[in-house]
């Protein structure tokens, strides 16, 4: 189900265009959304690599401890912010306008 970043941006811009809301301030919010998209991908990669928790050496260097991966909490926060941007732009599943290109995805 992985889509390319460019396809996602194109779809979001298309939604704004159809709402006649493709103005600079909203397009700038889409830039923020795509920056968060990049961060989300990195966080997911870190979780995949290190797991939800990981072993590390304590500050004293004498013991091995299990730490919670901060990327898990950060991923939740990033996803929440991304959803808030979509909501503020009025881009919800209830208001999605599907075109021929979207059906091929």
């Amino acid at each position: 189900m992985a889509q390319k970043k460019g396809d996602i941006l194109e779809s979001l811009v298309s939604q704004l265009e159809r709402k006649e809301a493709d103005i600079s301030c909203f397009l700038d919010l889409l830039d923020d959304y795509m920056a968060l998209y990049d961060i989300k991908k990195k966080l997911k990669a870190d979780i995949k690599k290190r797991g939800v928790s990981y072993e590390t050496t304590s500050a004293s260097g004498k013991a091995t401890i299990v730490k919670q991966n901060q990327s898990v909490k950060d991923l939740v926060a990033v996803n929440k912010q991304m959803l808030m941007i979509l909501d503020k732009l009025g881009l919800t599943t209830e208001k999605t306008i599907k075109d021929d290109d979207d059906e091929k995805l």
Side-chain angles (χ1 to χ4, degrees), residues 1 6-8 10 13 19 25 30 33 42 47 53 68 79 87 93-94 100:
M1 180 67 83
D7 293 339
I8 293 169
E10 183 180 321
V13 170
K19 294 170 57 102
C25 62
L30 284 186
Y33 180 90
K42 290 176 184 175
I47 294 166
S53 60
Q68 299 299 312
N79 275 329
D87 185 55
T93 56
E94 296 167 359
D100 294 336

Side-chain angles (χ1 to χ4, degrees), residues 24-76:
S24 297
C25 62
F26 296 149
L27 293 172
D28 185 57
L29 278 175
L30 284 186
D31 285 340
D32 293 344
Y33 180 90
M34 296 314 295
L36 289 168
Y37 175 86
D38 290 336
I39 293 167
K40 179 182 86 165
K41 289 292 189 183
K42 290 176 184 175
L43 292 169
K44 288 173 80 174
D46 179 58
I47 294 166
K48 185 175 182 178
K49 178 181 176 185
R50 295 193 300 162
V52 174
S53 60
Y54 60 96
E55 289 185 0
T56 189
T57 305
S58 67
S60 67
K62 296 181 180 179
T64 300
I65 58 173
V66 176
K67 291 185 80 172
Q68 299 299 312
N69 188 342
Q70 181 64 36
S71 292
V72 174
K73 288 182 180 181
D74 293 345
L75 179 61
V76 172

